[in-house]
């Protein structure tokens, strides 16, 4: 149950605030900052200047929030370490929002509490600032009115309710996680299929290129063969005077182009002797006959 606190409850406030402060906030403060904070908390006059609300479970104070400047700035906001992350702080904040007429509620958050304030909708308006050894981050919340649930429930009922909410949030996260995993699986499958298709396409392109190059090679080979045959034919039909050596007398003689053509047309072999030696042999053969 959330209720407005009175001066009679300041001691409970101090015990709670100091307990949470020592564990969660003090490590980020200098000695000067810790001393300055304790002066503020121990000063009943300063506490009286705040609008204080406390969250009670049965007779135990588990959270406190204090505001000033007509409930437009949060000066104290602490939840017992045992009950943090169970939305008790959010309910305290909802009570302040309901009581406030401000459009924006500000707070100087300790560095360790920035994420918790962000979770409740606050936005940082500046970077980290240090003043008299106290480090803080200025943050603001745009006020949206809502009806706060302030039923007087037992500790067991409140914890059961929060556990139910946490379970529901967990199930929702698991559902989203499963959907995300399914999307990743489908995306992976799609990419795998695209890779297979690309690989097949490239293989087909490789085979086509190989076939094309082979065909070009055969055409080039055939072309060169035809050119070689044409050159061979041209050379075979081109005759020039040649100097030969007679194997009988050893004399060099000229085998003329016309004689070469004649020999080719008649199918004769290339002569190995000069005209004189051939004529001499011919005369001897005629004489023997």
């Amino acid at each position: 149950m959330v209720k407005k606190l009175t001066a009679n409850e300041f001691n409970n406030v101090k015990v709670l605030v100091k307990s949470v402060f020592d564990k969660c906030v003090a490590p980020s403060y200098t000695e000067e900052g810790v001393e300055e904070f304790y002066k503020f908390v121990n000063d009943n006059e300063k506490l009286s200047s705040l609008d204080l609300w406390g969250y009670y479970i049965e007779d135990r104070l588990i959270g406190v929030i204090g505001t000033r400047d007509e409930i437009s700035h949060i000066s104290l906001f602490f939840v017992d370490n045992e009950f943090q992350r169970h939305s008790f702080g959010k309910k305290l904040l909802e009570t302040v929002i309901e009581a406030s007429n401000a459009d924006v509620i500000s707070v100087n958050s300790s560095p360790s509490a920035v994420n918790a304030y962000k979770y409740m909708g606050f936005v940082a308006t500046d970077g980290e600032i240090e003043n008299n050894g106290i480090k803080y981050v200025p943050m603001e919340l745009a006020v949206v009115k809502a009806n706060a649930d302030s039923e007087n429930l037992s500790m067991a009922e409140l914890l059961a309710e929060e556990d139910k909410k946490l379970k529901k949030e967990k199930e929702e996260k698991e559902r989203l996680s499963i959907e995300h995993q399914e999307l990743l699986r489908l995306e992976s499958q799609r990419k795998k299929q695209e890779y297979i298709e690309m690989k097949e396409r490239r293989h087909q392109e490789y085979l086509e290129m190989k076939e094309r190059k082979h065909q070009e090679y055969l055409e080039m080979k055939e072309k060169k063969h035809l050119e070689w045959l044409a050159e061979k034919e041209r050379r075979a039909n081109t005759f020039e005077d040649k100097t030969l050596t007679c194997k009988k007398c050893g004399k060099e003689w000229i085998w003329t182009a016309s004689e070469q053509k004649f020999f080719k047309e008649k199918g004769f072999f290339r002569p190995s002797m000069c005209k004189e030696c051939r004529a001499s042999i011919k005369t001897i053969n005629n004489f023997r006959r």
Side-chain angles (χ1 to χ4, degrees):
M1 178 181 69
V2 179
K3 72 171 189 174
K4 196 76 176 284
L5 301 180
T6 64
N8 294 331
E9 296 167 290
F10 283 176
N11 286 335
N12 292 339
V13 171
K14 292 174 184 179
V15 171
L16 171 64
V17 169
K18 289 177 181 178
S19 173
V20 179
F21 177 81
D22 288 342
K23 184 174 181 180
C24 301
V25 183
S28 64
Y29 279 31
T30 64
E31 291 184 6
E32 180 187 4
V34 172
E35 184 179 348
E36 193 70 25
F37 178 79
Y38 276 130
K39 284 182 181 179
F40 172 76
V41 174
N42 290 325
D43 191 333
N44 287 342
E45 185 177 343
K46 289 184 178 179
L47 289 179
S48 298
S49 68
L50 301 178
D51 291 298
L52 288 170
W53 286 267
Y55 201 121
Y56 277 91
I57 294 180
E58 296 179 351
D59 294 329
R60 181 178 175 183
L61 180 66
I62 60 107
V64 63
I65 188 169
T67 66
R68 58 179 172 79
D69 299 336
E70 297 181 352
I71 318 180
S72 65
H73 181 80
I74 298 174
S75 297
L76 288 176
F77 197 175
F78 291 89
V79 176
D80 192 302
N81 298 322
E82 183 182 346
F83 296 92
Q84 290 179 8
R85 303 180 184 277
H86 286 285
S87 299
F88 295 115
K90 188 175 181 181
K91 290 179 180 178
L92 282 168
L93 178 62
E94 288 173 353
T95 301
V96 168
I97 291 174
E98 186 66 26
S100 175
N101 291 320
D103 295 328
V104 174
I105 295 177
S106 61
V107 66
N108 292 331
S109 169
S110 64
S112 60
V114 168
N115 289 334
Y117 280 111
K118 285 183 178 179
Y119 177 77
M120 291 186 288
F122 283 82
V123 177
T125 57
D126 201 348
E128 186 176 300
I129 298 172
E130 182 172 350
N131 186 18
N132 294 328
I134 298 176
K135 296 180 180 179
Y136 63 90
V137 177
M139 305 185 77
E140 288 185 350
L141 171 69
V143 174
V144 178
K145 293 288 184 178
N147 292 324
D149 181 12
S150 58
E151 296 181 4
N152 188 9
L153 301 177
S154 68
M155 182 185 294
E157 290 172 327
L158 283 169
L159 291 176
E161 181 184 346
E162 293 304 321
D163 286 341
K164 186 177 179 181
K165 289 182 179 179
L166 289 174
K167 185 178 179 181
K168 187 175 180 181
E169 290 176 359
K170 184 179 179 181
E171 289 175 351
E172 180 65 14
K173 287 181 180 179
E174 289 177 351
R175 184 186 68 79
L176 293 174
S177 177
I178 292 172
E179 289 182 356
H180 181 65
Q181 292 297 325
E182 180 65 14
L183 289 174
L184 290 178
R185 186 187 69 79
L186 293 174
E187 180 67 14
S188 176
Q189 191 175 27
R190 182 185 65 80
K191 289 183 177 180
K192 184 177 180 180
Q193 184 62 30
E194 287 181 351
Y195 171 75
I196 293 173
E197 292 175 356
M198 179 194 69
K199 190 176 180 181
E200 179 65 23
R201 185 172 64 253
R202 288 185 175 179
H203 180 65
Q204 189 63 33
E205 290 174 352
Y206 167 75
L207 292 178
E208 291 175 358
M209 179 192 69
K210 187 176 180 181
E211 178 63 23
R212 185 173 66 254
K213 287 190 175 182
H214 180 66
Q215 191 62 33
E216 290 175 354
Y217 169 75
L218 293 178
E219 291 175 358
M220 179 190 69
K221 188 175 180 180
E222 180 67 18
K223 181 180 178 182
K224 287 188 176 182
H225 181 65
L226 293 175
E227 289 176 351
W228 178 79
L229 291 176
E231 180 64 17
K232 184 178 179 182
E233 182 67 19
R234 185 188 67 77
R235 289 184 179 182
N237 295 320
T238 301
F239 304 98
E240 295 178 354
D241 292 350
K242 293 182 179 180
T243 300
L244 304 178
T245 301
C246 180
K247 72 175 184 178
K248 184 176 181 181
C249 66
K251 177 184 174 182
E252 289 186 350
W253 59 282
I254 302 299
W255 190 29
T256 64
S258 58
E259 288 176 332
Q260 293 176 42
K261 185 177 181 181
F262 174 76
F263 270 63
K264 181 177 176 62
E265 290 173 351
K266 296 298 183 179
F268 296 156
F269 293 106
R270 173 178 168 174
S272 58
M273 295 180 289
C274 61
K275 289 182 181 181
E276 290 79 4
C277 291
R278 279 182 287 161
S280 173
I281 291 174
K282 186 176 182 180
T283 300
I284 293 173
N285 288 337
N286 288 336
F287 177 74
R288 287 177 177 175
R289 288 174 188 171

